[in-house]
PDB file of all heavy atoms in Angstrom:
ATOM      1  N   LEU A   1     -15.258  -3.247 -48.940  1.00 90.00           N
ATOM      2  CA  LEU A   1     -15.839  -2.055 -49.520  1.00 90.00           C
ATOM      3  C   LEU A   1     -14.782  -1.044 -49.932  1.00 90.00           C
ATOM      4  O   LEU A   1     -14.858  -0.529 -51.167  1.00 90.00           O
ATOM      5  CB  LEU A   1     -16.769  -1.316 -48.437  1.00 90.00           C
ATOM      6  CG  LEU A   1     -17.228   0.028 -48.759  1.00 90.00           C
ATOM      7  CD1 LEU A   1     -18.250   0.004 -49.854  1.00 90.00           C
ATOM      8  CD2 LEU A   1     -17.884   0.705 -47.606  1.00 90.00           C
ATOM      9  N   LEU A   2     -13.755  -0.798 -49.153  1.00 89.00           N
ATOM     10  CA  LEU A   2     -12.776   0.111 -49.567  1.00 89.00           C
ATOM     11  C   LEU A   2     -11.931  -0.405 -50.795  1.00 89.00           C
ATOM     12  O   LEU A   2     -11.472   0.392 -51.604  1.00 89.00           O
ATOM     13  CB  LEU A   2     -11.696   0.336 -48.403  1.00 89.00           C
ATOM     14  CG  LEU A   2     -12.228   1.145 -47.180  1.00 89.00           C
ATOM     15  CD1 LEU A   2     -11.141   1.284 -46.083  1.00 89.00           C
ATOM     16  CD2 LEU A   2     -12.934   2.448 -47.563  1.00 89.00           C
ATOM     17  N   GLY A   3     -11.814  -1.724 -50.915  1.00 89.00           N
ATOM     18  CA  GLY A   3     -11.224  -2.253 -52.090  1.00 89.00           C
ATOM     19  C   GLY A   3     -11.987  -1.965 -53.348  1.00 89.00           C
ATOM     20  O   GLY A   3     -11.399  -1.808 -54.382  1.00 89.00           O
ATOM     21  N   ARG A   4     -13.255  -1.965 -53.185  1.00 87.00           N
ATOM     22  CA  ARG A   4     -14.097  -1.673 -54.296  1.00 87.00           C
ATOM     23  C   ARG A   4     -14.278  -0.207 -54.779  1.00 87.00           C
ATOM     24  O   ARG A   4     -14.186   0.228 -55.783  1.00 87.00           O
ATOM     25  CB  ARG A   4     -15.506  -2.260 -54.146  1.00 87.00           C
ATOM     26  CG  ARG A   4     -15.629  -3.726 -54.306  1.00 87.00           C
ATOM     27  CD  ARG A   4     -17.052  -4.253 -54.345  1.00 87.00           C
ATOM     28  NE  ARG A   4     -17.716  -4.080 -53.112  1.00 87.00           N
ATOM     29  CZ  ARG A   4     -18.697  -3.222 -52.786  1.00 87.00           C
ATOM     30  NH1 ARG A   4     -19.041  -2.433 -53.701  1.00 87.00           N
ATOM     31  NH2 ARG A   4     -19.245  -3.257 -51.583  1.00 87.00           N
ATOM     32  N   THR A   5     -14.321   0.637 -53.689  1.00 84.00           N
ATOM     33  CA  THR A   5     -14.537   2.105 -53.911  1.00 84.00           C
ATOM     34  C   THR A   5     -13.268   2.882 -54.029  1.00 84.00           C
ATOM     35  O   THR A   5     -13.317   4.018 -54.642  1.00 84.00           O
ATOM     36  CB  THR A   5     -15.364   2.712 -52.772  1.00 84.00           C
ATOM     37  OG1 THR A   5     -14.663   2.455 -51.530  1.00 84.00           O
ATOM     38  CG2 THR A   5     -16.786   2.016 -52.695  1.00 84.00           C
ATOM     39  N   HIS A   6     -12.209   2.324 -53.619  1.00 87.00           N
ATOM     40  CA  HIS A   6     -10.869   3.087 -53.745  1.00 87.00           C
ATOM     41  C   HIS A   6      -9.752   2.158 -54.360  1.00 87.00           C
ATOM     42  O   HIS A   6      -9.553   2.254 -55.573  1.00 87.00           O
ATOM     43  CB  HIS A   6     -10.419   3.502 -52.319  1.00 87.00           C
ATOM     44  CG  HIS A   6     -11.488   4.347 -51.651  1.00 87.00           C
ATOM     45  ND1 HIS A   6     -12.033   5.530 -52.181  1.00 87.00           N
ATOM     46  CD2 HIS A   6     -12.170   4.065 -50.507  1.00 87.00           C
ATOM     47  CE1 HIS A   6     -12.956   5.908 -51.332  1.00 87.00           C
ATOM     48  NE2 HIS A   6     -13.085   5.157 -50.338  1.00 87.00           N
ATOM     49  N   ALA A   7      -9.153   1.281 -53.552  1.00 90.00           N
ATOM     50  CA  ALA A   7      -8.175   0.406 -54.093  1.00 90.00           C
ATOM     51  C   ALA A   7      -7.994  -0.676 -53.010  1.00 90.00           C
ATOM     52  O   ALA A   7      -8.159  -0.529 -51.799  1.00 90.00           O
ATOM     53  CB  ALA A   7      -6.843   1.124 -54.271  1.00 90.00           C
ATOM     54  N   PRO A   8      -7.565  -1.842 -53.430  1.00 92.00           N
ATOM     55  CA  PRO A   8      -7.391  -2.971 -52.393  1.00 92.00           C
ATOM     56  C   PRO A   8      -6.378  -2.633 -51.364  1.00 92.00           C
ATOM     57  O   PRO A   8      -5.331  -2.000 -51.719  1.00 92.00           O
ATOM     58  CB  PRO A   8      -6.872  -4.193 -53.325  1.00 92.00           C
ATOM     59  CG  PRO A   8      -7.440  -3.841 -54.636  1.00 92.00           C
ATOM     60  CD  PRO A   8      -7.433  -2.318 -54.706  1.00 92.00           C
ATOM     61  N   MET A   9      -6.626  -2.860 -50.137  1.00 93.00           N
ATOM     62  CA  MET A   9      -5.764  -2.554 -48.981  1.00 93.00           C
ATOM     63  C   MET A   9      -5.758  -3.563 -47.986  1.00 93.00           C
ATOM     64  O   MET A   9      -6.794  -4.358 -47.788  1.00 93.00           O
ATOM     65  CB  MET A   9      -6.105  -1.196 -48.457  1.00 93.00           C
ATOM     66  CG  MET A   9      -5.814   0.047 -49.225  1.00 93.00           C
ATOM     67  SD  MET A   9      -6.414   1.593 -48.463  1.00 93.00           S
ATOM     68  CE  MET A   9      -8.205   1.496 -48.977  1.00 93.00           C
ATOM     69  N   GLU A  10      -4.740  -3.718 -47.226  1.00 94.00           N
ATOM     70  CA  GLU A  10      -4.634  -4.469 -46.024  1.00 94.00           C
ATOM     71  C   GLU A  10      -5.067  -3.533 -44.942  1.00 94.00           C
ATOM     72  O   GLU A  10      -4.454  -2.429 -44.757  1.00 94.00           O
ATOM     73  CB  GLU A  10      -3.281  -5.126 -45.771  1.00 94.00           C
ATOM     74  CG  GLU A  10      -2.850  -6.083 -46.833  1.00 94.00           C
ATOM     75  CD  GLU A  10      -1.422  -6.600 -46.552  1.00 94.00           C
ATOM     76  OE1 GLU A  10      -0.872  -6.171 -45.518  1.00 94.00           O
ATOM     77  OE2 GLU A  10      -1.003  -7.452 -47.288  1.00 94.00           O
ATOM     78  N   LEU A  11      -5.992  -3.889 -44.092  1.00 94.00           N
ATOM     79  CA  LEU A  11      -6.482  -3.046 -42.967  1.00 94.00           C
ATOM     80  C   LEU A  11      -6.171  -3.802 -41.650  1.00 94.00           C
ATOM     81  O   LEU A  11      -6.263  -5.007 -41.608  1.00 94.00           O
ATOM     82  CB  LEU A  11      -7.970  -2.794 -43.044  1.00 94.00           C
ATOM     83  CG  LEU A  11      -8.510  -2.071 -44.340  1.00 94.00           C
ATOM     84  CD1 LEU A  11      -9.916  -1.728 -44.161  1.00 94.00           C
ATOM     85  CD2 LEU A  11      -7.634  -0.796 -44.633  1.00 94.00           C
ATOM     86  N   CYS A  12      -5.902  -2.962 -40.642  1.00 92.00           N
ATOM     87  CA  CYS A  12      -5.672  -3.533 -39.308  1.00 92.00           C
ATOM     88  C   CYS A  12      -6.238  -2.619 -38.258  1.00 92.00           C
ATOM     89  O   CYS A  12      -6.135  -1.320 -38.439  1.00 92.00           O
ATOM     90  CB  CYS A  12      -4.101  -3.666 -39.089  1.00 92.00           C
ATOM     91  SG  CYS A  12      -3.715  -4.264 -37.434  1.00 92.00           S
ATOM     92  N   SER A  13      -6.887  -3.163 -37.293  1.00 92.00           N
ATOM     93  CA  SER A  13      -7.533  -2.271 -36.233  1.00 92.00           C
ATOM     94  C   SER A  13      -7.738  -3.061 -34.910  1.00 92.00           C
ATOM     95  O   SER A  13      -7.987  -4.290 -34.999  1.00 92.00           O
ATOM     96  CB  SER A  13      -8.910  -1.744 -36.621  1.00 92.00           C
ATOM     97  OG  SER A  13      -9.542  -0.992 -35.718  1.00 92.00           O
ATOM     98  N   ASP A  14      -7.535  -2.355 -33.819  1.00 89.00           N
ATOM     99  CA  ASP A  14      -7.865  -2.920 -32.458  1.00 89.00           C
ATOM    100  C   ASP A  14      -9.299  -3.115 -32.273  1.00 89.00           C
ATOM    101  O   ASP A  14      -9.720  -3.874 -31.335  1.00 89.00           O
ATOM    102  CB  ASP A  14      -7.338  -2.088 -31.392  1.00 89.00           C
ATOM    103  CG  ASP A  14      -5.734  -2.040 -31.382  1.00 89.00           C
ATOM    104  OD1 ASP A  14      -5.126  -2.927 -31.931  1.00 89.00           O
ATOM    105  OD2 ASP A  14      -5.159  -0.962 -30.867  1.00 89.00           O
ATOM    106  N   HIS A  15     -10.104  -2.573 -33.184  1.00 90.00           N
ATOM    107  CA  HIS A  15     -11.550  -2.656 -33.044  1.00 90.00           C
ATOM    108  C   HIS A  15     -12.201  -3.561 -34.083  1.00 90.00           C
ATOM    109  O   HIS A  15     -13.387  -3.547 -34.367  1.00 90.00           O
ATOM    110  CB  HIS A  15     -12.178  -1.322 -33.204  1.00 90.00           C
ATOM    111  CG  HIS A  15     -11.731  -0.285 -32.186  1.00 90.00           C
ATOM    112  ND1 HIS A  15     -12.240  -0.056 -30.972  1.00 90.00           N
ATOM    113  CD2 HIS A  15     -10.650   0.613 -32.335  1.00 90.00           C
ATOM    114  CE1 HIS A  15     -11.591   0.946 -30.386  1.00 90.00           C
ATOM    115  NE2 HIS A  15     -10.595   1.322 -31.153  1.00 90.00           N
ATOM    116  N   ALA A  16     -11.359  -4.480 -34.668  1.00 90.00           N
ATOM    117  CA  ALA A  16     -11.849  -5.326 -35.734  1.00 90.00           C
ATOM    118  C   ALA A  16     -13.040  -6.243 -35.323  1.00 90.00           C
ATOM    119  O   ALA A  16     -13.713  -6.673 -36.179  1.00 90.00           O
ATOM    120  CB  ALA A  16     -10.726  -6.205 -36.270  1.00 90.00           C
ATOM    121  N   GLY A  17     -13.103  -6.606 -34.020  1.00 90.00           N
ATOM    122  CA  GLY A  17     -14.171  -7.473 -33.545  1.00 90.00           C
ATOM    123  C   GLY A  17     -15.601  -6.808 -33.693  1.00 90.00           C
ATOM    124  O   GLY A  17     -16.659  -7.566 -33.804  1.00 90.00           O
ATOM    125  N   ASP A  18     -15.661  -5.462 -33.686  1.00 91.00           N
ATOM    126  CA  ASP A  18     -16.983  -4.798 -33.898  1.00 91.00           C
ATOM    127  C   ASP A  18     -16.686  -3.419 -34.413  1.00 91.00           C
ATOM    128  O   ASP A  18     -16.764  -2.436 -33.792  1.00 91.00           O
ATOM    129  CB  ASP A  18     -17.625  -4.718 -32.576  1.00 91.00           C
ATOM    130  CG  ASP A  18     -19.083  -4.074 -32.707  1.00 91.00           C
ATOM    131  OD1 ASP A  18     -19.509  -3.936 -33.850  1.00 91.00           O
ATOM    132  OD2 ASP A  18     -19.683  -3.751 -31.650  1.00 91.00           O
ATOM    133  N   PHE A  19     -16.277  -3.378 -35.741  1.00 94.00           N
ATOM    134  CA  PHE A  19     -15.696  -2.163 -36.267  1.00 94.00           C
ATOM    135  C   PHE A  19     -16.834  -1.236 -36.670  1.00 94.00           C
ATOM    136  O   PHE A  19     -17.752  -1.637 -37.348  1.00 94.00           O
ATOM    137  CB  PHE A  19     -14.881  -2.465 -37.549  1.00 94.00           C
ATOM    138  CG  PHE A  19     -14.143  -1.319 -38.090  1.00 94.00           C
ATOM    139  CD1 PHE A  19     -13.089  -0.893 -37.354  1.00 94.00           C
ATOM    140  CD2 PHE A  19     -14.440  -0.763 -39.335  1.00 94.00           C
ATOM    141  CE1 PHE A  19     -12.383   0.288 -37.811  1.00 94.00           C
ATOM    142  CE2 PHE A  19     -13.803   0.287 -39.834  1.00 94.00           C
ATOM    143  CZ  PHE A  19     -12.715   0.728 -39.042  1.00 94.00           C
ATOM    144  N   ARG A  20     -16.777   0.012 -36.326  1.00 94.00           N
ATOM    145  CA  ARG A  20     -17.776   1.032 -36.598  1.00 94.00           C
ATOM    146  C   ARG A  20     -17.222   2.096 -37.678  1.00 94.00           C
ATOM    147  O   ARG A  20     -16.221   2.711 -37.362  1.00 94.00           O
ATOM    148  CB  ARG A  20     -18.248   1.784 -35.325  1.00 94.00           C
ATOM    149  CG  ARG A  20     -18.709   0.845 -34.246  1.00 94.00           C
ATOM    150  CD  ARG A  20     -19.922   0.072 -34.684  1.00 94.00           C
ATOM    151  NE  ARG A  20     -20.345  -0.875 -33.669  1.00 94.00           N
ATOM    152  CZ  ARG A  20     -21.420  -0.566 -32.798  1.00 94.00           C
ATOM    153  NH1 ARG A  20     -22.009   0.569 -32.920  1.00 94.00           N
ATOM    154  NH2 ARG A  20     -21.806  -1.558 -31.877  1.00 94.00           N
ATOM    155  N   ALA A  21     -17.941   2.144 -38.789  1.00 95.00           N
ATOM    156  CA  ALA A  21     -17.473   3.118 -39.730  1.00 95.00           C
ATOM    157  C   ALA A  21     -18.593   3.463 -40.678  1.00 95.00           C
ATOM    158  O   ALA A  21     -19.524   2.682 -40.800  1.00 95.00           O
ATOM    159  CB  ALA A  21     -16.343   2.455 -40.626  1.00 95.00           C
ATOM    160  N   SER A  22     -18.564   4.580 -41.279  1.00 95.00           N
ATOM    161  CA  SER A  22     -19.595   4.985 -42.330  1.00 95.00           C
ATOM    162  C   SER A  22     -18.954   5.898 -43.345  1.00 95.00           C
ATOM    163  O   SER A  22     -17.957   6.550 -43.068  1.00 95.00           O
ATOM    164  CB  SER A  22     -20.753   5.751 -41.554  1.00 95.00           C
ATOM    165  OG  SER A  22     -20.344   6.995 -41.040  1.00 95.00           O
ATOM    166  N   GLN A  23     -19.511   5.823 -44.486  1.00 94.00           N
ATOM    167  CA  GLN A  23     -18.976   6.549 -45.668  1.00 94.00           C
ATOM    168  C   GLN A  23     -20.090   7.011 -46.553  1.00 94.00           C
ATOM    169  O   GLN A  23     -21.002   6.355 -46.889  1.00 94.00           O
ATOM    170  CB  GLN A  23     -17.976   5.791 -46.394  1.00 94.00           C
ATOM    171  CG  GLN A  23     -17.301   6.441 -47.506  1.00 94.00           C
ATOM    172  CD  GLN A  23     -16.320   5.557 -48.283  1.00 94.00           C
ATOM    173  OE1 GLN A  23     -16.726   4.590 -48.831  1.00 94.00           O
ATOM    174  NE2 GLN A  23     -15.036   5.941 -48.327  1.00 94.00           N
ATOM    175  N   ARG A  24     -20.025   8.331 -46.954  1.00 92.00           N
ATOM    176  CA  ARG A  24     -20.943   8.907 -47.937  1.00 92.00           C
ATOM    177  C   ARG A  24     -20.152   9.191 -49.248  1.00 92.00           C
ATOM    178  O   ARG A  24     -19.173   9.933 -49.170  1.00 92.00           O
ATOM    179  CB  ARG A  24     -21.665  10.138 -47.435  1.00 92.00           C
ATOM    180  CG  ARG A  24     -22.453   9.857 -46.189  1.00 92.00           C
ATOM    181  CD  ARG A  24     -22.788  11.128 -45.416  1.00 92.00           C
ATOM    182  NE  ARG A  24     -23.382  12.238 -46.238  1.00 92.00           N
ATOM    183  CZ  ARG A  24     -23.298  13.502 -46.076  1.00 92.00           C
ATOM    184  NH1 ARG A  24     -22.578  13.968 -45.099  1.00 92.00           N
ATOM    185  NH2 ARG A  24     -23.934  14.290 -46.910  1.00 92.00           N
ATOM    186  N   VAL A  25     -20.549   8.715 -50.313  1.00 91.00           N
ATOM    187  CA  VAL A  25     -19.794   8.851 -51.572  1.00 91.00           C
ATOM    188  C   VAL A  25     -20.620   9.674 -52.551  1.00 91.00           C
ATOM    189  O   VAL A  25     -21.776   9.357 -52.857  1.00 91.00           O
ATOM    190  CB  VAL A  25     -19.428   7.500 -52.197  1.00 91.00           C
ATOM    191  CG1 VAL A  25     -18.629   7.680 -53.449  1.00 91.00           C
ATOM    192  CG2 VAL A  25     -18.676   6.711 -51.150  1.00 91.00           C
ATOM    193  N   LEU A  26     -20.050  10.682 -53.169  1.00 91.00           N
ATOM    194  CA  LEU A  26     -20.559  11.515 -54.190  1.00 91.00           C
ATOM    195  C   LEU A  26     -19.853  11.271 -55.524  1.00 91.00           C
ATOM    196  O   LEU A  26     -18.605  11.462 -55.543  1.00 91.00           O
ATOM    197  CB  LEU A  26     -20.498  12.993 -53.880  1.00 91.00           C
ATOM    198  CG  LEU A  26     -21.324  13.430 -52.692  1.00 91.00           C
ATOM    199  CD1 LEU A  26     -21.046  15.002 -52.368  1.00 91.00           C
ATOM    200  CD2 LEU A  26     -22.819  13.243 -52.910  1.00 91.00           C
ATOM    201  N   ASP A  27     -20.469  10.656 -56.543  1.00 89.00           N
ATOM    202  CA  ASP A  27     -19.825  10.431 -57.818  1.00 89.00           C
ATOM    203  C   ASP A  27     -20.031  11.614 -58.779  1.00 89.00           C
ATOM    204  O   ASP A  27     -21.070  11.967 -59.146  1.00 89.00           O
ATOM    205  CB  ASP A  27     -20.512   9.196 -58.380  1.00 89.00           C
ATOM    206  CG  ASP A  27     -19.860   8.806 -59.674  1.00 89.00           C
ATOM    207  OD1 ASP A  27     -18.889   9.445 -60.156  1.00 89.00           O
ATOM    208  OD2 ASP A  27     -20.391   7.843 -60.339  1.00 89.00           O
ATOM    209  N   LEU A  28     -18.888  12.306 -59.028  1.00 90.00           N
ATOM    210  CA  LEU A  28     -18.930  13.397 -59.915  1.00 90.00           C
ATOM    211  C   LEU A  28     -18.431  13.028 -61.364  1.00 90.00           C
ATOM    212  O   LEU A  28     -18.024  13.871 -62.120  1.00 90.00           O
ATOM    213  CB  LEU A  28     -18.066  14.559 -59.378  1.00 90.00           C
ATOM    214  CG  LEU A  28     -18.364  15.008 -57.950  1.00 90.00           C
ATOM    215  CD1 LEU A  28     -17.528  16.212 -57.546  1.00 90.00           C
ATOM    216  CD2 LEU A  28     -19.842  15.357 -57.833  1.00 90.00           C
ATOM    217  N   GLY A  29     -18.397  11.759 -61.689  1.00 86.00           N
ATOM    218  CA  GLY A  29     -17.941  11.289 -62.916  1.00 86.00           C
ATOM    219  C   GLY A  29     -16.469  10.818 -62.805  1.00 86.00           C
ATOM    220  O   GLY A  29     -16.249   9.809 -62.093  1.00 86.00           O
ATOM    221  N   ALA A  30     -15.614  11.548 -63.373  1.00 86.00           N
ATOM    222  CA  ALA A  30     -14.204  11.121 -63.249  1.00 86.00           C
ATOM    223  C   ALA A  30     -13.649  11.305 -61.864  1.00 86.00           C
ATOM    224  O   ALA A  30     -12.722  10.571 -61.424  1.00 86.00           O
ATOM    225  CB  ALA A  30     -13.311  11.825 -64.278  1.00 86.00           C
ATOM    226  N   VAL A  31     -14.205  12.282 -61.174  1.00 92.00           N
ATOM    227  CA  VAL A  31     -13.767  12.682 -59.793  1.00 92.00           C
ATOM    228  C   VAL A  31     -14.773  12.165 -58.778  1.00 92.00           C
ATOM    229  O   VAL A  31     -16.034  12.097 -59.076  1.00 92.00           O
ATOM    230  CB  VAL A  31     -13.700  14.227 -59.633  1.00 92.00           C
ATOM    231  CG1 VAL A  31     -13.331  14.674 -58.246  1.00 92.00           C
ATOM    232  CG2 VAL A  31     -12.669  14.742 -60.674  1.00 92.00           C
ATOM    233  N   THR A  32     -14.277  11.734 -57.691  1.00 93.00           N
ATOM    234  CA  THR A  32     -15.093  11.173 -56.487  1.00 93.00           C
ATOM    235  C   THR A  32     -14.828  11.898 -55.234  1.00 93.00           C
ATOM    236  O   THR A  32     -13.692  12.164 -54.982  1.00 93.00           O
ATOM    237  CB  THR A  32     -14.821   9.677 -56.342  1.00 93.00           C
ATOM    238  OG1 THR A  32     -15.044   8.962 -57.491  1.00 93.00           O
ATOM    239  CG2 THR A  32     -15.848   9.165 -55.282  1.00 93.00           C
ATOM    240  N   VAL A  33     -15.873  12.320 -54.657  1.00 94.00           N
ATOM    241  CA  VAL A  33     -15.786  12.983 -53.302  1.00 94.00           C
ATOM    242  C   VAL A  33     -16.493  12.232 -52.232  1.00 94.00           C
ATOM    243  O   VAL A  33     -17.548  11.604 -52.534  1.00 94.00           O
ATOM    244  CB  VAL A  33     -16.334  14.365 -53.337  1.00 94.00           C
ATOM    245  CG1 VAL A  33     -16.298  15.031 -51.904  1.00 94.00           C
ATOM    246  CG2 VAL A  33     -15.534  15.216 -54.321  1.00 94.00           C
ATOM    247  N   TRP A  34     -16.012  12.098 -51.061  1.00 92.00           N
ATOM    248  CA  TRP A  34     -16.705  11.370 -49.998  1.00 92.00           C
ATOM    249  C   TRP A  34     -16.320  11.888 -48.664  1.00 92.00           C
ATOM    250  O   TRP A  34     -15.245  12.525 -48.414  1.00 92.00           O
ATOM    251  CB  TRP A  34     -16.445   9.829 -50.045  1.00 92.00           C
ATOM    252  CG  TRP A  34     -15.074   9.433 -49.706  1.00 92.00           C
ATOM    253  CD1 TRP A  34     -14.648   9.095 -48.343  1.00 92.00           C
ATOM    254  CD2 TRP A  34     -13.948   9.243 -50.495  1.00 92.00           C
ATOM    255  NE1 TRP A  34     -13.339   8.737 -48.409  1.00 92.00           N
ATOM    256  CE2 TRP A  34     -12.845   8.868 -49.734  1.00 92.00           C
ATOM    257  CE3 TRP A  34     -13.661   9.434 -51.881  1.00 92.00           C
ATOM    258  CZ2 TRP A  34     -11.624   8.666 -50.178  1.00 92.00           C
ATOM    259  CZ3 TRP A  34     -12.433   9.234 -52.405  1.00 92.00           C
ATOM    260  CH2 TRP A  34     -11.376   8.797 -51.585  1.00 92.00           C
ATOM    261  N   SER A  35     -17.128  11.589 -47.633  1.00 94.00           N
ATOM    262  CA  SER A  35     -16.857  11.908 -46.237  1.00 94.00           C
ATOM    263  C   SER A  35     -16.928  10.536 -45.537  1.00 94.00           C
ATOM    264  O   SER A  35     -17.714   9.662 -45.871  1.00 94.00           O
ATOM    265  CB  SER A  35     -17.832  12.844 -45.641  1.00 94.00           C
ATOM    266  OG  SER A  35     -19.149  12.302 -45.725  1.00 94.00           O
ATOM    267  N   ALA A  36     -16.081  10.374 -44.537  1.00 94.00           N
ATOM    268  CA  ALA A  36     -15.962   9.177 -43.764  1.00 94.00           C
ATOM    269  C   ALA A  36     -15.752   9.378 -42.305  1.00 94.00           C
ATOM    270  O   ALA A  36     -15.114  10.284 -41.916  1.00 94.00           O
ATOM    271  CB  ALA A  36     -14.853   8.246 -44.364  1.00 94.00           C
ATOM    272  N   THR A  37     -16.350   8.493 -41.519  1.00 95.00           N
ATOM    273  CA  THR A  37     -16.150   8.435 -40.103  1.00 95.00           C
ATOM    274  C   THR A  37     -15.816   6.974 -39.725  1.00 95.00           C
ATOM    275  O   THR A  37     -16.463   6.078 -40.133  1.00 95.00           O
ATOM    276  CB  THR A  37     -17.344   8.940 -39.313  1.00 95.00           C
ATOM    277  OG1 THR A  37     -17.748  10.283 -39.783  1.00 95.00           O
ATOM    278  CG2 THR A  37     -17.114   8.876 -37.862  1.00 95.00           C
ATOM    279  N   PHE A  38     -14.662   6.771 -38.908  1.00 94.00           N
ATOM    280  CA  PHE A  38     -14.299   5.422 -38.741  1.00 94.00           C
ATOM    281  C   PHE A  38     -13.408   5.354 -37.380  1.00 94.00           C
ATOM    282  O   PHE A  38     -12.917   6.380 -36.942  1.00 94.00           O
ATOM    283  CB  PHE A  38     -13.551   4.756 -39.944  1.00 94.00           C
ATOM    284  CG  PHE A  38     -12.459   5.616 -40.336  1.00 94.00           C
ATOM    285  CD1 PHE A  38     -11.132   5.407 -39.869  1.00 94.00           C
ATOM    286  CD2 PHE A  38     -12.586   6.598 -41.373  1.00 94.00           C
ATOM    287  CE1 PHE A  38     -10.066   6.247 -40.409  1.00 94.00           C
ATOM    288  CE2 PHE A  38     -11.586   7.249 -41.878  1.00 94.00           C
ATOM    289  CZ  PHE A  38     -10.271   7.156 -41.366  1.00 94.00           C
ATOM    290  N   GLN A  39     -13.280   4.192 -36.866  1.00 93.00           N
ATOM    291  CA  GLN A  39     -12.487   4.023 -35.739  1.00 93.00           C
ATOM    292  C   GLN A  39     -11.072   3.824 -36.077  1.00 93.00           C
ATOM    293  O   GLN A  39     -10.715   3.640 -37.245  1.00 93.00           O
ATOM    294  CB  GLN A  39     -12.920   2.752 -34.886  1.00 93.00           C
ATOM    295  CG  GLN A  39     -14.296   2.918 -34.253  1.00 93.00           C
ATOM    296  CD  GLN A  39     -14.780   1.639 -33.590  1.00 93.00           C
ATOM    297  OE1 GLN A  39     -14.981   0.633 -34.185  1.00 93.00           O
ATOM    298  NE2 GLN A  39     -15.058   1.815 -32.253  1.00 93.00           N
TER     299      GLN A  39
END
């Protein structure tokens, strides 16, 4: 998801077995705003 909405990345987390995260994305055209909560 982050690769599609932002840029491809390598991610690493101690919580990878059951990762909890959410993101709200507002598309303003050229500019994008979002809020995110994650482990």
Side-chain angles (χ1 to χ4, degrees):
L1 171 68
L2 293 184
R4 286 191 287 110
T5 58
H6 307 300
M9 286 175 278
E10 294 179 0
L11 302 185
C12 177
S13 175
D14 292 339
H15 303 270
D18 183 9
F19 190 70
R20 304 299 178 96
S22 64
Q23 184 180 61
R24 297 163 56 207
V25 181
L26 296 173
D27 181 4
L28 304 183
V31 175
T32 304
V33 175
W34 71 89
S35 59
T37 302
F38 51 92
Q39 291 178 299

